[in-house]
Amino acid sequence: MLRVEEHEDRVVVTLHRPEARNAISGRMIAELHEVCGLLEADPKLLLLTGHGGVFAGGADIAELLRRGRDEALQGVNSRLFERMRRLPMPTLAAVDGWALGGGAELAYACDLRIAGSDAVFGNPEPGLGVLAAAGACWRLSELVGESIAKQVLLAGRNLDAAAALAAGLVIDVVPAQKLLEEAHALLDRMARSSATALRLTKLVLDASGAHPVADDLAQAVLFEGQDKKDRMTRFLEKRSRA
């Protein structure tokens, strides 16, 4: 249910379940765990998108109907999304069309999101008698603030692309036909940075409770690296020639 393309500096994953608007099923969850294993063993940037003008129309409702207390306690979706959140290198969701329910929560779990002009984020779970239990109830508030999170999660508000941009949920809104091009351009910009510096910056950003010691330790590793020396030497040589 995924199309996976491996490149030198990134992995591109396309959710591909067109008969169900890319709804997230148990099988898709298992395949995404395989992708996480790949990126944990060989850290690269991740671009996550959906096939056919839809990111993901939610979780598979037929599967949710069959799940009970034990499945809820297993955190089938939430464990995956948290694993994705902790991947070593930055992750980017390119969102076109609907990103609802579990699909929205999957996008929230990425480090960054870029939206096509027709993107729509929403969490209609209470209308189905459940809650958004794969991270939205706490992650969305961290991303856009308590007020907007409550509008989405309690009042059923959908965020279109413009509203998502205004709320800071997405880094940019681009024409739908240029979404992947712009997403790759963003990854290209990140790929020009030191991969080790990106990894350690993300590690410090995601650490529970900011602490200066974490900054110092991460910086100590980078200061001793040849990559830092090469990059700063090139910078100084370029400035001296200007």
Side-chain angles (χ1 to χ4, degrees), residues 158-235:
N158 288 336
L159 299 178
D160 62 17
L165 181 63
L169 182 61
V170 301
I171 190 171
D172 200 3
V173 175
V174 300
Q177 65 272 21
K178 297 187 66 178
L179 178 60
L180 288 182
E181 177 185 341
E182 295 294 336
H184 277 290
L186 176 54
L187 290 181
D188 290 342
R189 188 163 74 239
M190 287 193 281
R192 289 193 289 271
S193 295
S194 161
T196 305
L198 283 177
R199 285 188 65 178
L200 287 173
T201 299
K202 178 174 175 176
L203 193 64
V204 173
L205 272 169
D206 288 344
S208 300
H211 197 292
V213 173
D215 290 357
D216 294 344
L217 290 174
Q219 193 73 300
V221 172
L222 293 169
F223 271 18
E224 292 299 313
Q226 188 62 41
D227 192 37
K228 167 251 187 183
K229 297 172 186 175
D230 292 343
R231 286 171 179 271
M232 290 190 176
T233 298
R234 287 196 299 269
F235 174 83

Side-chain angles (χ1 to χ4, degrees), residues 19-129:
E19 75 282 1
R21 296 197 305 174
N22 303 328
I24 299 172
S25 64
R27 178 180 167 188
M28 186 182 287
I29 291 289
E31 292 181 12
L32 285 168
H33 272 296
E34 292 179 8
V35 171
C36 287
L38 173 72
L39 292 170
E40 289 161 352
D42 183 16
K44 294 180 180 180
L45 300 167
L46 171 65
L47 173 58
L48 185 65
T49 191
H51 170 78
V54 177
F55 184 72
D60 188 302
I61 303 302
E63 287 191 9
L64 287 182
L65 180 60
R66 294 192 296 269
R67 292 179 189 174
R69 175 191 59 199
D70 291 342
E71 288 79 11
L73 291 173
Q74 290 170 11
V76 176
N77 290 10
S78 63
R79 298 300 186 272
L80 168 71
F81 296 169
E82 184 60 17
R83 186 180 184 184
M84 294 193 69
R85 174 66 172 166
R86 299 299 175 186
L87 287 173
M89 289 288 283
T91 57
L92 172 65
V95 178
D96 192 18
W98 294 104
L100 298 178
E105 290 180 298
L106 177 58
Y108 303 157
C110 291
D111 295 306
L112 298 164
R113 288 148 296 279
I114 186 170
S117 54
D118 57 353
V120 179
F121 299 84
N123 288 97
E125 285 90 341
L128 295 170

